[in-house]
Amino acid sequence: MIPDRAFRIPQQPQPGGKTERRIEAAIEFSQSLYRILSSDPKDAPATDALVDDIKKHVNKLHECEQKHKYLPGVAGDPEIDAQAVRLWNLCTRLRREASEVERLRRLFLYGRVLAFHLLAVVRPPKKGASGEVVYLLRLALKAARDCIDGSESELATPILMKAAEYKGTLQDLAPSLVEEDVDEANCLEVEYFIVRTALSWKENRIDVAEHMYTKAERLRNFLTPDYAERLADILYEIGKSLSAKEDFTIATKWLERADETINRQSLESLSREGIELRLAILQALVTALLETGSRKDLERAKNHVDYIEAEVGNKLVVSLLRLELLQKTPAEVFDSDTYGNVLRHMIKDFNFTEPGFRLIIYHIRKLHDKSPGVGCAVLDDFILALAKAENDTWMEKAIITRMWMISNQRDTLSTIDAVRSVLSNLAKPLSAEAAIAAQALTWKKLESNYTLGQYDLAESWCQLSLHTAFRSCGPSNTSKLERKLLLCALARNSLEVAVSIIEKMSQQSWKEPMTAYLAFKVAIRIEDRALAERSLETVSSAPDHIDYLGACIAESQKAGDIFCAIAALKKLHEKYEYKSPNPIHLPALFRCTIRLLNLLVDRSDADKNRIIHELCEEFDAVVLALQRQKRESEAETLFNVDELEWFSRNAYNLALKNTTTWDLRHVVKMLTACVNIVSYISSDVGSQVDLSLKSLFSRFVISSALVSLARTQDKVEKQRRDYLAVRAHVMEFDQELPGHLPNFEKVLKNDMLRKHAALLAFDFEAAVSLGQLEDLGSIVQRAALCRNVTAYQAMADCLLRGRVPGQVLYSTMRKIINEIWNLESFDAVKLAKYTRCLFQATLPLDDGLGIKLLDEACSKARELRESEGHWPEEELQWMAATAFNHAIDCYSSHETERAKEWATKAINLSHYCDDEGGLERILQDKYLQLRFDVDAR
């Protein structure tokens, strides 16, 4: 290398001083450029600016070349020559190394062009120096080719002008040249015309290109293998570029010229690059022939392919050309089997590279377009081959392609099974991204078949999508597919399959409300209550459970499974019964449940007592909701008047209808709910008489039932609760009745009074049982309005049976007897009976009360005799005899005064007997036999 130093420029006066300054500036710039490129060209500041500067100096040098053939002081200068050579070599090396950085490649190209022009200036052609001219011509042609390849036609033109000058010089020197130099000159001349052809083609001057090629054609016999390769390469590039522009007819012509040029040389004389170029030319030629669409060209292409195969064997390039040939055959005669066999050969020789993978996949897709079945079969073979590659990316792309293929052809169970068989050979599941992409393709087919009612196919697609290869899709996708599989089984009414699917479902699937809803549909069809309950529990736990529970109710009713419908309704109760605001209409929910429960009551397969209990609980829930509504006065009113009347009417009717068949406690609960609901109906609503009657009669039945239950109750605490409830209902009846009596007709009024009397008798019984004796007198008084002897009789019987103190017994019974006495329907027999019973009950407790009763009996008997009535004989005789016996007892106890009093009272009562004084005389005789005087002494 010549060391860098300032260039020596001759100082003597020379013509063209301005030219010398241009040369000097170019030389200095080349030195500076060399220093920049010698360090790190990537750090070169503003490469575009450098390129512009180079272009300016190149233009100046070209002007000098045109004006001056020889520049004294510059021509032949070794330092300038060396600098130009160094710059050429440096740019050549850097351009080769920077093949991927376009901006640097352009800079290095311009650097070489600058170096060439410096050499052109420093080395003017000399007589006899043919070697120097050949060298410069070679550089010129090489630089021009690089400019053409780099789309720098403007830069190539002046170089070719200089090359034309060198070519002319060689022609002038031809007589003095030896044979080898003549051949070299001819080769360079051919190359010159070919480069000019390429430049004309780049400049889109086809006529000039054709003219230049014609000139080169005359000299092609002089081409050596090296120059033939260069010429063929240029012709190949022209043909290839024309093919890229889809001008296949013209491209064919230029490619055939390239093929003819390189085939003129023997294979032994071609370089390795030349042999590869020869194959590339043939391949491009076959492609161009195939694209012309001509049957003749198709045949020519086939011949070329046969020739290539015969020469190089069944290599990859031959296989590709075969595939192209087959693609261009008409669709009606397309040989898919041959195409597939070619691809299988390529798969067998697969070199496990990315380009090779993409190439095979591309052609498999092409085959699938024309023959889906064969295309799928070949891809299956390729997938099996890829299992050896351990390249997950290739495998996933191939699987996705396979799924795309099957999703774009006619569905059959066999085609789906084929894919499932291929997937079974995978060593591990696909990645999440690939699995989701594959499932997205299958889901479309699944949905399409399901919509068309082709459930067998849809189920098969589901099974394919659930393959373990797609496990990475995640639990949500799995749940969605399992649900679709369940839908297919339901649609086919294959309940055994549906149950099997449910049993195999993952926990994640069960958490989905839609899955639980489908399981519920299966449960009601197979009458599996446990599965139905589990499904409802899952559905009710979901955020959007209202719609699903509504769907479960509808399914239950559709299937006639009232039990499941009620269970679903109860889940809604649990969620929304007392919430505000409420997303559902609570009264409607109650009504639906009540109607369904009512349907179950009379069914033979139902647990009747449980159903009746649930029915009562439902009405109680209505009452509870009304109470909550009343407490939360600001809340929106849920129950309107019509709804309240509906609930009260149904509770009332159900209770009355089943009074004799239901357990009395259920009747009580139902009617209690009825009266509670009626209490929430506004007083200004019409039909108050009906509502009042409903409430009054309900309380009457409730009290009657509770009394009946209390009488048979073994447990004291429960009995007390029943009697307390009786008293509460009677009190309510007492408070309600007076306000409504004026509105009742006479018959109805009398009926209500009779019921009131009966209730008061129940109240009296309850008070006695509860020990609330202080209320007995008031109960008797309240019964006066009813004027009902039966009620008083019941009270009297109850009083006599009860264990009450004597004073209470006496005072209360006296009131009862007085009330009976005052009634128009007085019956002396009954009065005497009650008096005798009272006497019998009070005598052991308090004989003072007995004396009073004897006096009252005498008084009543006297009144009856005066009114031509009579006290029953047996009653008078019994009381008189009992009283006298009590006197004897007192006499025996030495209670003389009391004995006299009792004996006297007994004789007085016997006076009213109708036995013509028989009893009276007997008692008097016995009295006289008593020795009261002796005892007194």
Side-chain angles (χ1 to χ4, degrees):
M1 297 286 293
I2 301 175
D4 293 338
R5 61 180 183 273
F7 292 118
R8 176 178 56 79
I9 304 299
Q11 297 298 317
Q12 66 269 26
Q14 297 291 341
K18 185 175 181 180
T19 298
E20 292 177 2
R21 288 194 297 273
R22 292 176 182 175
I23 298 297
E24 182 181 358
I27 293 170
E28 291 177 353
F29 176 79
S30 67
Q31 184 181 25
S32 175
L33 179 63
Y34 182 82
R35 284 196 299 269
I36 292 172
L37 298 181
S38 296
S39 54
D40 189 352
K42 295 181 180 178
D43 297 332
T47 55
D48 290 341
L50 281 175
V51 167
D52 291 340
D53 290 341
I54 293 173
K55 188 183 293 185
K56 293 176 183 178
H57 288 292
V58 166
N59 292 335
K60 292 176 181 178
L61 289 173
H62 181 59
E63 291 176 3
C64 294
E65 293 167 8
Q66 288 180 313
K67 292 181 179 179
H68 306 283
K69 300 294 182 182
Y70 181 81
L71 292 175
V74 175
D77 190 309
E79 294 181 6
I80 300 174
D81 187 279
Q83 177 62 26
V85 171
R86 285 199 303 271
L87 182 59
W88 173 276
N89 293 337
L90 177 62
C91 290
T92 300
R93 179 176 60 82
L94 292 177
R95 192 165 187 268
R96 190 182 306 116
E97 294 172 357
S99 57
E100 297 180 0
V101 185
E102 190 58 35
R103 67 180 183 86
L104 292 178
R105 284 177 56 80
R106 187 165 182 259
L107 173 64
F108 302 148
L109 173 63
Y110 271 74
R112 287 215 301 176
V113 171
L114 175 62
F116 168 75
H117 283 288
L118 282 173
L119 285 172
V121 171
V122 79
R123 295 188 185 187
K126 298 178 182 177
K127 292 182 178 181
S130 60
E132 187 77 13
V133 176
V134 168
Y135 171 74
L136 290 173
L137 181 55
R138 285 176 179 170
L139 290 182
L141 293 175
K142 186 171 183 59
R145 286 185 62 183
D146 289 343
C147 290
I148 294 171
D149 292 341
S151 300
E152 298 286 350
S153 301
E154 183 180 348
L155 206 61
T157 301
I159 297 175
L160 286 176
M161 291 175 64
K162 197 67 179 174
E165 180 183 337
Y166 294 145
K167 180 177 72 69
T169 302
L170 281 177
Q171 289 175 345
D172 295 340
L173 296 174
S176 60
L177 296 178
V178 298
E179 184 178 354
E180 291 182 1
D181 291 341
V182 171
D183 292 340
E184 178 76 10
N186 290 330
C187 288
L188 287 173
E189 186 175 2
V190 173
E191 185 177 4
Y192 166 78
F193 287 124
I194 292 301
V195 173
R196 287 291 305 274
T197 302
L199 178 61
S200 302
W201 164 73
K202 282 283 188 180
E203 293 175 344
N204 203 27
R205 296 189 295 172
I206 304 300
D207 54 339
V208 177
E210 190 69 32
H211 174 69
M212 291 296 173
Y213 174 75
T214 302
K215 288 188 174 184
E217 183 72 8
R218 294 196 302 266
L219 301 170
R220 67 181 181 181
N221 292 330
F222 299 104
L223 289 177
T224 63
D226 183 48
Y227 282 100
E229 289 179 17
R230 295 183 196 176
L231 174 57
D233 186 37
I234 291 175
L235 295 173
Y236 167 70
E237 291 295 333
I238 294 173
K240 192 168 67 171
S241 63
L242 288 168
S243 291
K245 294 179 180 180
E246 298 184 359
D247 191 352
F248 299 110
T249 302
I250 304 301
T252 299
K253 181 173 70 173
W254 287 95
L255 289 170
E256 286 178 339
R257 289 171 175 175
D259 180 60
E260 185 180 358
T261 299
I262 201 165
N263 278 325
R264 284 179 174 273
Q265 310 298 321
S266 63
L267 289 177
E268 295 78 7
S269 63
L270 294 177
S271 65
R272 188 172 69 85
E273 291 80 4
I275 293 174
E276 291 176 355
L277 174 63
R278 179 172 174 272
L279 188 59
I281 292 170
L282 281 172
Q283 185 177 357
L285 177 58
V286 169
T287 302
L289 288 169
L290 292 174
E291 293 295 338
T292 61
S294 167
R295 186 174 295 275
K296 180 180 178 181
D297 287 343
L298 181 63
E299 188 62 31
R300 290 169 60 198
K302 183 179 181 303
N303 293 335
H304 280 300
V305 173
D306 292 341
Y307 172 74
I308 297 172
E309 184 175 9
E311 186 172 285
V312 302
N314 194 5
K315 296 294 182 66
L316 176 63
V317 63
V318 176
S319 297
L320 293 176
L321 292 174
R322 288 284 182 204
L323 293 178
E324 287 192 43
L325 276 171
L326 291 169
Q327 286 177 21
K328 292 302 178 180
T329 58
E332 59 272 12
V333 295
F334 178 74
D335 190 348
S336 59
D337 291 334
T338 301
Y339 201 105
N341 291 333
V342 173
L343 282 176
R344 287 188 177 92
H345 179 77
M346 292 172 64
I347 292 170
K348 183 180 178 181
D349 295 337
F350 178 49
N351 57 3
F352 296 100
T353 61
E354 183 65 28
F357 170 79
R358 289 200 301 268
L359 184 66
I360 293 175
I361 286 291
Y362 168 79
H363 283 289
I364 290 176
R365 282 177 174 268
K366 288 289 187 182
L367 175 59
H368 179 265
D369 290 341
K370 297 198 174 189
S371 180
V374 179
C376 290
V378 173
L379 182 55
D380 291 345
D381 292 342
F382 189 39
I383 291 172
L384 293 177
L386 289 175
K388 306 174 185 177
E390 297 183 355
N391 188 315
D392 295 341
T393 302
W394 291 351
M395 180 62 77
E396 289 173 356
K397 288 180 179 179
I399 292 295
I400 292 173
T401 302
R402 184 65 173 90
M403 303 307 288
W404 172 83
M405 285 181 176
I406 193 175
S407 65
N408 283 275
Q409 66 186 73
R410 186 172 62 86
D411 295 337
T412 63
L413 293 176
S414 59
T415 58
I416 299 173
D417 290 340
V419 176
R420 191 181 296 113
S421 176
V422 170
L423 293 177
S424 64
N425 292 300
L426 297 183
K428 59 181 179 180
L430 302 177
S431 67
E433 183 179 1
I436 290 172
Q439 277 195 353
L441 294 168
T442 60
W443 183 258
K444 292 180 180 179
K445 298 295 290 183
L446 192 162
E447 281 290 297
S448 173
N449 282 290
Y450 184 82
T451 302
L452 294 173
Q454 297 171 345
Y455 302 116
D456 289 341
L457 285 171
E459 188 175 86
S460 194
W461 279 107
C462 274
Q463 295 289 2
L464 177 62
S465 300
L466 286 169
H467 195 280
T468 54
F470 307 124
R471 189 185 305 158
S472 303
C473 284
S476 60
N477 274 349
T478 301
S479 299
K480 183 172 69 171
L481 288 167
E482 287 176 339
R483 283 196 297 274
K484 187 61 74 173
L485 199 60
L486 191 54
L487 281 169
C488 291
L490 283 169
R492 293 190 295 108
N493 200 30
S494 182
L495 298 181
E496 292 183 2
V497 175
V499 172
S500 174
I501 293 167
I502 292 171
E503 291 174 348
K504 295 176 183 178
M505 275 186 176
S506 62
Q507 288 299 319
Q508 176 66 30
S509 294
W510 259 110
K511 293 179 182 179
E512 299 287 340
M514 179 54 114
T515 303
Y517 164 66
L518 295 177
F520 180 83
K521 291 182 69 173
V522 175
I524 61 175
R525 294 189 186 186
I526 63 175
E527 298 181 357
D528 187 339
R529 296 283 162 75
L531 178 58
E533 289 178 5
R534 180 187 177 191
S535 303
L536 287 175
E537 189 65 34
T538 302
V539 167
S540 62
S541 301
D544 52 349
H545 58 270
I546 293 181
D547 293 338
Y548 288 108
L549 283 175
C552 289
I553 294 168
E555 285 293 332
S556 302
Q557 291 180 315
K558 181 180 177 181
D561 194 329
I562 301 176
F563 290 101
C564 288
I566 292 172
L569 286 167
K570 285 185 176 180
K571 289 298 180 182
L572 283 176
H573 283 193
E574 293 173 7
K575 292 287 183 179
Y576 296 109
E577 190 165 356
Y578 306 114
K579 289 185 178 180
S580 180
N582 203 325
I584 62 174
H585 188 55
L586 194 57
L589 182 60
F590 288 135
R591 286 199 305 274
C592 291
T593 309
I594 289 169
R595 285 190 178 112
L596 292 177
L597 286 169
N598 197 26
L599 290 173
L600 285 179
V601 170
D602 298 326
R603 280 177 50 167
S604 59
D605 61 335
D607 183 349
K608 189 170 184 177
N609 284 331
R610 184 179 67 83
I611 298 300
I612 295 171
H613 176 74
E614 291 180 4
L615 192 57
C616 294
E617 290 293 325
E618 202 66 24
F619 279 99
D620 286 343
V622 173
V623 175
L624 191 59
L626 287 168
Q627 292 171 350
R628 182 180 180 86
Q629 176 181 292
K630 185 176 181 180
R631 289 195 302 269
E632 299 176 2
S633 56
E634 296 181 359
E636 181 182 356
T637 301
L638 294 176
F639 295 83
N640 57 38
V641 174
D642 292 337
E643 287 166 339
L644 292 175
E645 288 186 341
W646 188 92
F647 288 114
S648 65
R649 181 175 64 256
N650 278 273
Y652 183 79
N653 292 339
L654 281 170
L656 295 188
K657 175 185 175 183
N658 300 285
T659 301
T660 58
T661 56
W662 284 7
D663 184 282
L664 285 179
R665 293 215 176 269
H666 291 146
V667 175
V668 169
K669 284 177 68 71
M670 191 67 72
L671 289 175
T672 302
C674 174
V675 296
N676 285 330
I677 294 169
V678 169
S679 67
Y680 284 94
I681 300 177
S682 177
S683 59
D684 58 354
V685 176
S687 304
Q688 278 299 310
V689 173
D690 293 339
L691 292 174
S692 302
L693 284 173
K694 188 183 295 181
S695 178
L696 291 170
F697 190 71
S698 295
R699 293 191 186 280
F700 172 75
V701 177
I702 291 169
S703 301
S704 302
L706 287 172
V707 167
S708 177
L709 291 167
R711 289 171 180 171
T712 58
Q713 185 58 254
D714 295 330
K715 295 182 179 179
V716 176
E717 187 58 36
K718 287 186 176 181
Q719 186 183 59
R720 284 183 58 83
R721 285 201 298 268
D722 288 339
Y723 275 128
L724 284 171
V726 169
R727 298 213 65 194
H729 281 287
V730 173
M731 183 62 67
E732 292 292 336
F733 192 97
D734 276 353
Q735 293 175 357
E736 291 181 24
L737 182 61
H740 299 300
L741 275 177
N743 301 322
F744 294 158
E745 296 178 357
K746 183 178 180 180
V747 175
L748 183 57
K749 183 184 295 185
N750 292 335
D751 182 59
M752 283 294 109
L753 289 174
R754 283 193 296 272
K755 286 180 171 57
H756 190 198
L759 288 179
L760 289 172
F762 296 152
D763 193 26
F764 190 93
E765 179 183 337
V768 171
S769 179
L770 293 169
Q772 298 172 348
L773 304 179
E774 65 279 3
D775 295 335
L776 298 179
S778 64
I779 294 173
V780 174
Q781 289 176 356
R782 284 154 51 199
L785 178 66
C786 302
R787 301 183 62 81
N788 190 297
V789 175
T790 304
Y792 287 124
Q793 290 171 348
M795 291 179 191
D797 291 340
C798 179
L799 189 61
L800 293 172
R801 289 193 308 270
R803 297 177 181 179
V804 297
Q807 184 63 44
V808 174
L809 177 64
Y810 173 78
S811 60
T812 306
M813 184 61 80
R814 185 176 179 182
K815 288 180 181 179
I816 293 172
I817 293 172
N818 288 338
E819 292 296 336
I820 294 175
W821 182 264
N822 292 328
L823 290 175
E824 294 180 356
S825 60
F826 170 74
D827 186 342
V829 176
K830 292 181 180 179
L831 179 59
K833 176 185 175 183
Y834 290 135
T835 303
R836 185 254 300 167
C837 292
L838 180 59
F839 177 74
Q840 186 180 9
T842 57
L843 182 60
L845 301 174
D846 189 345
D847 60 356
L849 294 176
I851 292 292
K852 289 182 180 181
L853 285 171
L854 285 175
D855 290 340
E856 289 184 2
C858 286
S859 175
K860 297 294 185 182
R862 184 175 55 253
E863 290 180 9
L864 286 171
R865 177 168 290 186
E866 292 174 354
S867 61
E868 298 181 354
H870 66 276
W871 193 278
E873 184 71 17
E874 63 274 13
E875 297 289 352
L876 286 175
Q877 289 179 359
W878 185 87
M879 286 186 71
T882 302
F884 193 85
N885 289 337
H886 186 67
I888 298 299
D889 291 336
C890 291
Y891 180 81
S892 299
S893 300
H894 304 289
E895 297 178 16
T896 306
E897 294 300 326
R898 290 183 65 197
K900 286 181 179 181
E901 183 179 11
W902 274 99
T904 304
K905 297 288 186 183
I907 293 169
N908 292 339
L909 183 60
S910 65
H911 175 72
Y912 296 103
C913 290
D914 293 335
D915 59 351
E916 297 180 357
L919 180 61
E920 184 178 7
R921 285 193 300 272
I922 291 171
L923 294 180
Q924 286 175 349
D925 290 342
K926 288 188 178 292
Y927 179 79
L928 292 173
Q929 292 176 12
L930 297 175
R931 301 174 65 186
F932 288 110
D933 294 340
V934 176
D935 290 340
R937 288 194 299 268

